[in-house]
């Protein structure tokens, strides 16, 4: 099968599993109501810079996800389907992105298709695609940032252009505007780990990186600067300290604060493919040795996984969605192992 047919199949699959029927169930979950009500009040007050809830500014999340919801509400009305449209759309987009990252890493159409198939039919991916939460949109920005980095890193060594790094920083900035500083930490942590393992930290001296930093600040700076100038300590204390710092030391759900929580989350999250992946995963070290040309892709996937885990594992507050930006690593490895079994 060629790429076009594979991608069309994955789009159809994504629509069926992630978007179809999203309007049948009303918005009843507290988190969904929280985001939808905020968008509703922003639209009613014509306030596009400050999230408003119950007539008061609220600083729990940055502005981009609210913009998406408010845009949908303004032009299509605020219904269960329109509220869930953006997470579902980004979920469908994420399937295709994972397909192309898998192709970039391993150059195997079957592995790429399997990665997209596994991702789009996994329990955790379906759940977050069908919920009015920031996590799906945020994760896709992070994945795009990492994909843009690795693609540029790989092809610039063959004499290709370096402007792809600009896209990496743009997507990083959009991730920060969606969920906060983790949108910076996840990609940077991954890249630093990868370059360190490849003895290539000097790579960051590339001039395109400086341009990327400028674009990142151009995207993230104005809104954060506006909120600090408008609300001062109230914004700083809630957005930076309560949301970002406090969760490092205070567990929102004490029962989740265990060393194995994220491993268990990923194992359950990839259902029903867990039963295929667990025995196949034992072959990953063998595949690493068996395919010398794939060692760099394996190192990148390891760096990606650890680049997320090192920030979320030490924190006392642990939620299943925090590890979600590393989910494509699991689905790509699962696809690789299953493909190996099919030979």
């Amino acid at each position: 099968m060629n790429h076009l047919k594979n991608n069309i199949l994955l789009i159809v699959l994504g629509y069926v599993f992630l978007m179809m029927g999203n309007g049948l169930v009303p918005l009843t979950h507290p988190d969904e109501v929280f985001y939808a009500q905020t968008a509703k009040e922003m639209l009613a007050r014509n306030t596009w810079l400050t999230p408003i809830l119950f007539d008061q500014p609220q600083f729990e999340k940055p502005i981009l996800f609210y913009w998406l919801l408010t845009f949908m509400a303004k032009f299509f009305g605020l219904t269960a389907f329109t509220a869930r449209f953006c997470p579902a759309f980004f979920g469908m987009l994420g399937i295709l992105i994972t397909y192309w990252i898998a192709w970039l890493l391993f150059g195997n159409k079957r592995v790429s298709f399997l990665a997209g198939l596994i991702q789009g039919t996994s329990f955790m991916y379906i759940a977050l695609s069908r919920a009015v939460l920031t996590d799906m949109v945020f994760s896709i920005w992070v994945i795009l940032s990492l994909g843009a980095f690795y693609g540029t890193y790989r092809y610039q060594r063959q004499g290709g252009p370096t402007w792809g790094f600009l896209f990496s920083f743009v997507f990083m900035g959009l991730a920060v505007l969606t969920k906060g500083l983790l949108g910076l930490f996840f990609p940077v942590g991954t890249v630093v780990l990868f370059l360190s393992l490849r003895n290539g930290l000097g790579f960051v001296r590339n001039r395109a990186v400086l341009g990327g930093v400028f674009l990142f600040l151009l995207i993230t700076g104005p809104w954060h600067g506006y909120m600090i100038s408008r609300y001062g300590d109230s914004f700083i204390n809630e957005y930076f300290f309560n949301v970002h710092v406090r969760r490092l030391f205070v567990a929102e759900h004490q029962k989740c604060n265990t060393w194995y929580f994220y491993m268990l989350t990923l194992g359950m999250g990839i259902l029903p493919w867990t039963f295929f992946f667990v025995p196949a995963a034992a072959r990953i070290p063998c595949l690493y040795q068996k395919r010398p040309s794939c060692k760099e892709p394996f190192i990148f996937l390891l760096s990606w996984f650890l680049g997320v885990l090192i920030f979320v594992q030490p924190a006392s507050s642990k939620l299943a969605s925090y590890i979600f930006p590393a989910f494509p690593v699991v689905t790509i490895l699962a696809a690789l192992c299953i493909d190996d079994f099919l030979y």
Side-chain angles (χ1 to χ4, degrees):
M1 297 177 68
N2 59 36
H3 289 306
L4 180 60
K5 289 182 180 179
N6 284 346
N7 281 223
I8 290 174
L9 284 174
L10 290 175
I11 290 172
V12 173
L13 176 144
Y15 174 76
V16 171
F17 278 86
L18 309 180
M19 185 178 289
M20 188 171 67
N22 268 350
L24 298 178
V25 179
L27 301 178
T28 55
H29 190 280
D31 288 338
E32 290 194 305
V33 174
F34 170 87
Y35 289 111
Q37 181 63 27
T38 300
K40 182 178 179 180
E41 294 191 30
M42 288 175 63
L43 183 60
R45 296 167 63 104
N46 197 29
T47 302
W48 289 86
L49 291 177
T50 303
I52 301 294
L53 183 64
F54 303 132
D55 293 323
Q56 297 295 323
Q58 58 96 354
F59 312 127
E60 184 169 337
K61 292 290 189 297
I63 196 66
L64 183 55
F65 188 68
Y66 298 117
W67 279 344
L68 295 175
L69 288 179
T70 305
F71 175 86
M72 294 299 297
K74 180 177 179 63
F75 291 99
F76 303 102
L78 188 60
T79 65
F81 181 84
T82 57
R84 294 180 178 129
F85 177 83
C86 288
F89 175 80
F90 274 77
M92 293 171 62
L93 180 63
I95 295 175
L96 299 182
I97 295 168
T98 298
Y99 175 96
W100 285 106
I101 290 179
W103 171 257
L104 177 67
L105 291 169
F106 298 106
N108 185 312
K109 292 180 183 177
R110 185 162 67 178
V111 169
S112 299
F113 182 78
L114 283 171
L117 174 67
I118 293 168
Q119 184 152 301
T121 55
S122 293
F123 169 73
M124 186 178 187
Y125 199 83
I126 294 172
L128 289 179
S129 293
R130 288 183 175 271
V132 188
L133 300 172
T134 60
D135 301 289
M136 179 57 70
V137 176
F138 168 74
S139 296
I140 299 309
W141 295 136
V142 172
I143 294 166
L144 280 167
S145 178
L146 292 173
F149 160 76
Y150 184 74
T152 306
Y153 171 83
R154 180 169 177 175
Y155 289 113
Q156 67 84 33
R157 290 180 302 161
Q158 303 170 10
T162 60
W163 51 263
F165 289 124
L166 301 179
F167 286 102
S168 183
F169 281 94
V170 167
F171 294 134
M172 200 184 307
L174 294 173
V176 170
L177 274 187
T178 301
K179 199 172 181 177
L181 294 178
L182 288 179
L184 170 67
F185 295 155
F186 288 167
V188 169
T190 298
V191 169
V192 169
L193 277 173
F194 174 71
L195 294 178
S196 298
L197 292 172
R198 299 292 295 171
N199 295 318
L201 279 174
F203 186 74
V204 299
R205 293 195 294 267
N206 190 293
R207 283 187 295 178
V209 173
L210 182 61
V213 171
F214 173 76
L215 286 176
F216 173 82
L217 294 175
L218 189 64
I219 291 170
T220 61
W223 181 79
H224 286 89
Y226 167 80
M227 295 297 285
I228 291 172
S229 65
R230 176 75 183 272
Y231 298 102
D233 290 342
S234 297
F235 175 76
I236 293 172
N237 290 334
E238 175 64 19
Y239 180 80
F240 288 104
F241 292 103
N242 188 42
V243 174
H244 288 87
V245 177
R246 183 185 65 85
R247 295 182 182 183
L248 293 173
F249 307 101
V250 180
E252 292 188 19
H253 306 283
Q254 189 60 47
K255 65 179 181 180
C256 298
N257 190 19
T258 62
W259 65 268
Y260 56 83
F261 175 75
Y262 287 122
M263 297 301 104
L264 182 62
T265 295
L266 291 173
M268 298 296 291
I270 202 174
L271 282 170
W273 299 94
T274 308
F275 303 105
F276 297 93
F277 176 63
V278 171
R283 292 187 55 79
I284 290 176
C286 178
L287 289 175
Y288 179 81
Q289 297 296 329
K290 180 179 175 182
R291 305 183 182 186
S293 63
C294 295
K295 287 188 177 182
E296 181 181 281
F298 273 114
I299 291 173
F300 178 70
L301 289 174
L302 174 65
S303 301
W304 182 349
F305 187 80
L306 294 178
V308 174
L309 190 65
I310 58 176
F311 290 106
V312 298
Q313 182 63 38
S316 297
S317 285
K318 293 180 172 64
L319 294 176
S321 58
Y322 290 174
I323 197 67
F324 188 61
F327 198 70
V329 176
V330 179
T331 60
I332 291 172
L333 289 176
L336 196 67
C337 292
I338 293 172
D339 175 74
D340 186 62
F341 273 135
L342 294 176
Y343 273 113

